[in-house]
């Protein structure tokens, strides 16, 4: 009998990661992306005063940039950053949108938003055809101190993976799903214990009540799916 796989949690960080780093993806114009990949760091033209969104999910990045075909997103970068920095951002993040029951009220959420240098969105994961999946992946927005640390302290390496993007997309168009899948980055569940996601993970009790994320979710609680 074939082994039954456990159902995918509705919210989870899946990422290519090592003991000390995690890889996230961004897409830029060639004029910014190519110098960043060449030098292994973001150039002065990269505005540290603006919010920047990083995606641990390669396929969600493909959905966002249209396989590097959208204007202004023709260069896809794999940015390897320190796990210490990534975890710092998560611990200092809030949800990007108001969630009734999770936040005391909209005023409380707005106060969190104003003081948090990072924010989280949970968006449907994508498959090779960029179709939405039942489970969600994380997008992490960085601003202020978090954006500056990301660009100048946390970044370990920057690679231009646009050729890989084009190769995988060509295989998808040819219908060679197995070959395309084999080229995808190996994204595994990211360790998120010790309350790492407590401030950004809405969960719903069996009664329907929405509460903040907890470690060791009891049986009558499930993560909110949308």
């Amino acid at each position: 009998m074939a082994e039954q796989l456990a159902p995918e949690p509705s919210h989870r960080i899946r990422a290519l990661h090592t003991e000390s780093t995690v890889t996230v993806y961004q897409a830029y114009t060639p004029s910014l992306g190519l110098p960043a990949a060449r030098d292994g760091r973001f150039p002065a033209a990269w505005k540290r005063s603006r919010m920047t969104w990083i995606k641990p999910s390669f396929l969600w990045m493909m959905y966002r940039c249209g396989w590097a075909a959208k204007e202004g997103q023709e260069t896809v970068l794999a940015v390897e950053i320190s796990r210490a920095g990534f975890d710092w951002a998560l611990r200092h993040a809030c949800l990007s949108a108001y969630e009734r029951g999770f936040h005391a009220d909209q005023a409380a959420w707005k106060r969190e938003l104003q003081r948090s240098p990072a924010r989280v969105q949970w968006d449907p994961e994508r498959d090779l055809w960029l179709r939405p999946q039942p489970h969600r992946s994380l997008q992490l927005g960085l601003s202020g101190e978090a954006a500056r640390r990301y660009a100048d302290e946390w970044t370990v390496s920057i690679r231009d993976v646009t050729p890989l993007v084009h190769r995988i997309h060509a295989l998808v168009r040819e219908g060679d799903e197995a070959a395309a899948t084999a080229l995808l980055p190996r994204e595994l569940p990211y360790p998120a214990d010790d309350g790492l996601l407590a401030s950004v993970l809405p969960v719903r009790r069996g009664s329907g009540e929405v509460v903040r994320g907890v470690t060791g979710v009891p049986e009558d609680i499930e993560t909110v799916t949308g």
Side-chain angles (χ1 to χ4, degrees):
M1 180 180 295
E3 182 181 354
Q4 294 292 320
L5 298 177
E8 184 69 29
S10 61
H11 293 60
R12 173 184 273 175
I13 301 175
R14 306 162 193 84
L16 176 65
H17 63 274
T18 69
E19 290 185 358
S20 59
T21 66
V22 57
T23 297
V24 297
Y25 300 94
Q26 294 191 291
Y28 291 103
T29 62
S31 63
L32 196 152
L34 293 179
R38 180 194 64 216
D39 299 334
R41 59 184 176 84
F42 288 103
W46 193 90
K47 296 186 182 301
R48 285 136 176 91
S49 60
R50 296 178 58 182
M51 173 164 284
T52 189
W53 288 87
I54 58 177
K55 295 95 173 165
S57 167
F58 179 85
L59 285 175
W60 206 95
M61 185 71 257
M62 296 308 98
Y63 166 71
R64 180 67 179 84
C65 70
W67 295 102
K70 291 184 179 178
E71 184 178 359
Q73 301 184 60
E74 300 92 344
T75 302
V76 179
L77 302 179
V79 185
E80 190 179 19
I81 64 174
S82 71
R83 278 179 55 169
F86 187 67
D87 290 359
W88 183 94
L90 290 173
R91 293 188 189 280
H92 290 80
C94 69
L95 286 177
S96 62
Y98 169 71
E99 180 72 52
R100 184 176 181 182
F102 182 85
H103 301 104
D105 50 41
Q106 289 205 11
W109 165 68
K110 288 180 180 179
R111 286 194 296 272
E112 278 193 42
L113 203 63
Q114 290 173 352
R115 67 172 179 258
S116 299
R119 57 191 64 176
V120 161
Q121 288 183 192
W122 295 99
D123 295 296
E125 181 58 283
R126 301 286 161 163
D127 65 11
L128 280 170
W129 292 270
L130 308 185
R131 297 173 301 201
Q133 300 301 290
H135 49 280
R136 292 177 177 251
S137 290
L138 173 134
Q139 276 199 83
L140 185 59
L142 308 174
S143 65
E145 181 182 3
R148 293 190 296 273
R149 288 190 174 200
Y150 169 68
D152 300 322
E153 298 177 19
W154 302 342
T155 298
V156 175
S157 69
I158 302 177
R159 293 180 294 115
D160 178 4
V161 293
T162 313
L164 174 65
V165 168
H166 292 160
R167 177 59 180 153
I168 295 175
H169 190 206
L171 290 169
V172 172
R173 293 198 307 268
E174 293 164 8
D176 195 341
E177 179 180 352
T181 299
L183 292 178
L184 291 174
R186 189 166 181 258
E187 294 171 1
L188 299 175
Y190 184 80
D193 51 8
D194 298 326
L196 185 63
L197 300 178
S199 64
V200 294
L201 182 62
V203 297
R204 179 177 288 124
R205 295 187 183 275
S207 63
E209 176 192 10
V210 175
V211 297
R212 287 188 176 248
V214 294
T215 302
V217 178
E219 291 184 357
D220 69 334
I221 287 183
E222 62 182 10
T223 49
V224 173
T225 57

